[in-house]
Structure formats: C-alpha cells, structure tokens
Amino acid sequence: MDQKHTRRQFAKFAAATTAALTFKPFYILHAKPKVDGETIGHGSHKYRVQQGWGNLDSLKFPIDNCHEMVQDSKGRLIMIGDEVKNNILIYDRSGKLLDSWGHQFPGGHGLTLWNANGAEYLFICDTNGKVFKTDLKGNVLMTIEHPSKVGAYKEADPFKPTETAIGPDGTIYVADGYGSQWILRYTPKGEYIDKFGGSGDLDSQFSTAHGITVDYRDKANPTLLVTSRAHNSFKRFTLDGKYLSTIFLPGAFVCRPVVKGDNLYAGVCWSRLRYYNQTPNSGFVTILDKSDKVVSNPGGTKPEYIGGKLQMMVQEKPIFMHCHDVCIDQDENIYVCQWNAKKTYPVKLERI
C-alpha cells in the first residue's frame, strides 16, 4: 500500500473518531540521519539543529542510552547514561568532552543537580533499585535503597526509581516511575518521611511517574511538578504532596519537567502518531510558558488551542527518535538526550 493511500485512510479514521479534534496526522516512524542546520520550533522559540554536537569516539566513550543532562555552576554539561564504561560524560558548551566517570550504575537513568549554598551534588537514580548522592567527581556520599527497608513498601513491591528533586529545605523527593508509582519523601540525611501518589487514574495518581522537579517560578509558593507520562500530563502538587492541578498535553508522552526562566521544557519520548497509539520513533521537544500554555514544539506540530483546549500534538519532522530529557543553558540553547536512538549522543538545538 502506498504512503498517500495510508495517509488518506488514517485521515478518514481520525475524522470519524474525533470530530472535535483537529490535527494533521503524520507517519514518521524512522528518524533520518542528517538535519544539521535545519530550523525547527514555533513563534519566538525557534532553534537550529546541531545534530553532531555531542559526538565522541564510541570506542573510547561508548553510550547506549543518553538519559538525562544537567548543567553545573561552571557551565559544564553533565550527562548520565546506562553504559557502565562511562555512566557520566561531562561536556563544555562547544561539545568538547571534559571528563568521564561512573562504572557502577547499570540502570543509570535520573540525574539531579543540587546546589547547597555553593556546594554542588548529584543525585543519581539507578532503575535497578537505588538512589545515590555523589559529589561532582563521583564519590558516593549517601545511598537510598528499597523502601521496604524503612517500612514504606513490601519486599515484593517493585522499586525502580527514575528521578529525584530536592526541595527548598533539602527534602529529597524520589519518583518511582518504573516501579510502584509513588513519590517518596526523605530528609536531607536520607531518612524516610512519607509517600504520595501511587498507580492509578485518579488526579492524584500516576501512570509512569517518570520525572519530578520543584517549580520556583512563583517564588512565594513553590510547588512540585510530576510527570505522569502515559497520561500525557504533568501534575502539580504542594511540597507535602497534596494534588493541585494537571497540565494535559494530548499526544505527548512527556519525560522530566525542566524549568528554566519563565518556561517549562520537556522531551517527548513518543507521540500518538498511529491510531492515537504510542508510536516508536515519534519524539519531539515541547515548551510551555509561565501560564502552562504550550508555545513551541521543536520537531513537533505547531501547538493549537481551540476553545481554550490544547489539541493533539505529534511529531512533524523525523529529527528525533525518543527524546528522554532536555537541558537548557544560559543562552536558552537546548541539549536533547535520547533513549533507544541507535546510541545517539546528545543533540544541541541552538536558540535563534
């Protein structure tokens, strides 16, 4: 069957199943290799693709999945992956490798930077069931283990942490996004406090609680933003875990929420290209303003609101496969980490 005929078929299906939903269907299932210099994005948030920015010698510095990236106070870009020859790769903004370390994180996934009055630390989530606090050289300073050890879980309950966030008082939040879907709270010393959320479809529950961050944009009232990826949503909570609201992002399987300035950024790991299902190789990046309105989708369709409701967002251009995280530098350039993307190093989107 030719592609045009396939598109016509799907367009008829979409029209028949959702009269109120208006979006252009796309069928981009295989990312293409060369897009350097292409401009993507919408409105005032447009970017020039630098696909080879983070490329390294794969024999010396191999990667499997680039999971997440943060930037320290010196401007260094620190990336975590699950290749134990070098879990951590540290770049400068030109894409030059500055350092590498880490051999003990086979499930290296979540990476959070905590600046404690000038002293910087990393929190590393290993989806095999541990959270580590380290210094910037990789020395392990604290370990959080299976919650059954503190009575928060039964021994048989899965614990596969995906992300952490650190509150203004040093409270540690652990998102068990691939496990039992709880957000667990610990003191700065790693002592268990309580948990909230869990698996389900209630507003206060999660379906893949993949990421978490503290949103300080309202300085007088910081809140938690938690990913509920299979719900295509971010959910907002008080710092003690009370549900406040949901940011629904139809079509977008979002990963970690990243706040920079007035904006909220996220990698979209999949979109709903085929029959509204989660479709392989369909990722893009999404950007929201301080009112939680989507203003740009680099690599995705232009955001559209009808009657105040955001319409379905999907991949438009096959630039990305599975966007797992983004890091935003001081010039508002975006660095994109990808999962399951043929061992692709981070891609830079230069702000125009």
Side-chain angles (χ1 to χ4, degrees):
M1 184 178 292
D2 65 84
Q3 191 177 27
K4 290 183 179 179
H5 184 63
T6 302
R7 292 189 181 199
R8 286 196 297 269
Q9 271 193 330
F10 185 68
K12 290 178 181 178
F13 171 83
T17 55
T18 176
L21 188 63
T22 58
F23 75 102
K24 296 179 181 179
F26 293 85
Y27 306 92
I28 302 165
L29 304 181
H30 303 287
K32 297 179 181 179
K34 298 296 181 183
V35 291
D36 278 351
E38 184 167 350
T39 297
I40 58 176
H42 305 96
S44 60
H45 291 270
K46 293 182 179 177
Y47 304 84
R48 185 176 296 109
V49 179
Q50 296 182 12
Q51 196 173 39
W53 171 85
N55 287 355
L56 301 171
D57 183 340
S58 61
L59 295 178
K60 294 181 180 179
F61 304 101
I63 60 162
D64 190 3
N65 296 290
C66 293
H67 275 142
E68 294 194 344
M69 179 180 279
V70 296
Q71 187 175 34
D72 70 8
S73 62
K74 296 180 180 179
R76 303 185 309 163
L77 297 154
I78 306 171
M79 190 216 81
I80 189 167
D82 48 9
E83 170 54 72
V84 293
K85 290 184 179 179
N86 40 238
N87 283 122
I88 299 291
L89 297 176
I90 302 178
Y91 292 91
D92 68 12
R93 292 206 300 154
S94 73
K96 177 183 176 182
L97 183 69
L98 300 176
D99 197 4
S100 67
W101 51 263
H103 310 286
Q104 70 271 47
F105 312 118
H109 185 279
L111 187 66
T112 300
L113 180 77
W114 182 40
N115 189 317
N117 298 317
E120 292 183 298
Y121 303 95
L122 297 173
F123 283 81
I124 295 172
C125 283
D126 188 310
T127 55
N128 287 314
K130 290 185 179 181
V131 178
F132 302 91
K133 177 186 177 182
T134 76
D135 61 21
L136 296 191
K137 295 182 179 179
N139 298 304
V140 175
L141 307 175
M142 183 175 69
T143 303
I144 294 174
E145 300 192 54
H146 194 283
S148 63
K149 295 182 181 295
V150 293
Y153 280 16
K154 297 178 181 177
E155 287 187 12
D157 292 340
F159 179 57
K160 299 180 180 181
T162 50
E163 191 58 77
T164 59
I166 312 301
D169 62 352
T171 296
I172 303 166
Y173 299 87
V174 177
D176 188 11
Y178 290 164
S180 297
Q181 307 300 310
W182 293 98
I183 306 301
L184 301 112
R185 297 201 306 156
Y186 296 83
T187 70
K189 294 182 179 181
E191 301 158 333
Y192 174 71
I193 302 172
D194 59 17
K195 66 183 189 292
F196 63 91
S199 179
D201 293 328
L202 297 177
D203 285 340
S204 60
Q205 295 176 317
F206 306 108
S207 184
T208 315
H210 188 270
I212 184 170
T213 196
V214 180
D215 186 354
Y216 289 102
R217 288 176 293 177
D218 181 352
K219 293 181 175 59
N221 187 34
T223 55
L224 289 171
L225 281 173
V226 185
T227 307
S228 189
R229 191 164 70 182
H231 288 152
N232 293 177
S233 296
F234 292 127
K235 297 188 176 186
R236 191 179 298 277
F237 293 81
T238 63
L239 295 181
D240 58 357
K242 294 181 175 61
Y243 171 80
L244 296 172
S245 60
T246 294
I247 305 170
F248 183 42
L249 302 166
F253 288 77
V254 284
C255 292
R256 167 165 64 171
V258 177
V259 176
K260 183 72 172 181
D262 286 337
N263 296 315
L264 172 64
Y265 301 77
V268 175
C269 205
W270 303 273
S271 53
R272 296 184 181 275
L273 288 188
R274 189 177 292 280
Y275 301 120
Y276 304 133
N277 288 327
Q278 175 180 321
T279 307
N281 304 328
S282 62
F284 58 96
V285 174
T286 191
I287 305 170
L288 292 75
D289 66 14
K290 60 184 178 182
S291 300
D292 296 334
K293 181 178 180 180
V294 180
V295 293
S296 182
N297 287 322
T301 51
K302 183 178 180 179
E304 181 181 11
Y305 286 81
I306 298 178
K309 292 186 178 181
L310 179 61
Q311 303 303 293
M312 184 79 77
M313 305 185 298
V314 297
Q315 185 189 74
E316 181 177 33
K317 295 184 177 182
I319 292 169
F320 303 110
M321 299 179 77
H322 304 99
C323 299
H324 194 273
D325 189 42
V326 293
C327 180
I328 321 301
D329 70 17
Q330 57 267 41
D331 294 325
E332 299 185 1
N333 302 307
I334 302 175
Y335 303 85
V336 183
C337 295
Q338 295 192 79
W339 165 82
N340 194 20
K342 300 181 180 179
K343 304 183 185 297
T344 300
Y345 291 91
V347 175
K348 181 178 180 179
L349 301 182
E350 180 187 9
R351 180 75 185 267
I352 297 175

